[in-house]
Amino acid sequence: MSYDNCKDDDSLNIPNQEFYYRHTELVAKELVGKKLVRIIRESKDKIYRLSGLIVETEAYGFDKDPASHAYRGVTPRNTPMFGEAGHAYVYFTYGNYYCVNVSARSSEVKAGAVLIRALQPLEGIHIMKILRNTDDELSLSSGPGKLTQALRIDKSLNGQDMTNARTQLHIEYGINPQRIISSSRIGIREAREKKWRFILASKDDNGDLVSRYVSRKKID
DNA sequence: TCGATGATTGAG
DNA sequence: TCAATCATCGAA
């Protein structure tokens, strides 16, 4: 296979920058069902591909959203939220954990990002188990701090272009969800009334309303 | 420079 | 329900 063919295949499988230049809430909703892909190049002959289906996201806006890191304007930390859409915003929190966002906003808005809150593990599960130090697949990436640990995402990936299949961190097309549930965002004090958390509804009808891989099953 | 805080997690 | 733990932010 030629390099050019590879390029075409890659780009077909990846939401482009225009996908992220739309209302943050819409992007957050449509990221549910996509795949978060992490390529780890340990050495020349050790390349790992880790991925998970995005089952839970949250939208964070700009000046009208007091829960957003961008609410008070640009700071060194939140710079990616004000930059080009489709790039990674990784931040450190609670002294222990990283969280990963994708910058997303309609072009007339100054800032915005989508927090990726939970994944259903797909590829490289045995590596994720090592990184997370657990064998329990349900708790491998069912939370914003857990999934960054499972995919070894830290601040070195801040600002990465997530619309390019050749970068270490990007997003690919996944499934077309039948139903997505929206609810209040988790762990915030203000703007609780905004229903900007988006969750993949359970596929198989065994009584569960939401995906088994979400960070919390309770819906507000 | 300094105190308060947090888009969390895991243990109890 | 609660402590751990520290980068980040805004006030001084």
Side-chain angles (χ1 to χ4, degrees), chain A residues 59-167:
Chain A
Y60 286 91
F62 176 47
D63 56 335
K64 291 179 187 66
D65 182 8
S68 173
H69 286 174
Y71 182 57
R72 293 163 201 280
V74 196
T75 67
R77 179 177 67 166
N78 67 22
T79 300
M81 290 185 72
F82 291 80
E84 266 187 282
H87 286 246
Y89 167 40
V90 182
Y91 69 91
F92 186 68
T93 192
Y94 289 104
N96 275 311
Y97 304 100
Y98 293 97
C99 294
V100 63
N101 297 250
V102 195
S103 58
R105 57 190 170 84
S106 56
S107 47
E108 64 267 21
V109 177
K110 284 196 166 59
V114 176
L115 172 68
I116 300 176
R117 283 195 59 90
L119 304 174
Q120 174 178 339
L122 293 177
E123 299 166 275
I125 296 178
H126 58 296
I127 306 284
M128 295 190 210
K129 286 179 174 174
I130 295 167
L131 288 168
R132 285 274 299 133
N133 192 30
T134 178
D135 278 334
D136 179 16
E137 255 181 64
L138 281 178
S139 62
L140 224 42
S141 49
S142 55
K146 296 179 189 176
L147 71 92
T148 52
Q149 196 174 24
L151 300 190
R152 202 205 272 171
I153 295 168
D154 60 27
K155 263 203 112 173
S156 69
L157 297 173
N158 194 34
Q160 278 264 327
D161 182 2
M162 301 189 72
T163 66
N164 185 332
R166 286 170 297 286
T167 62

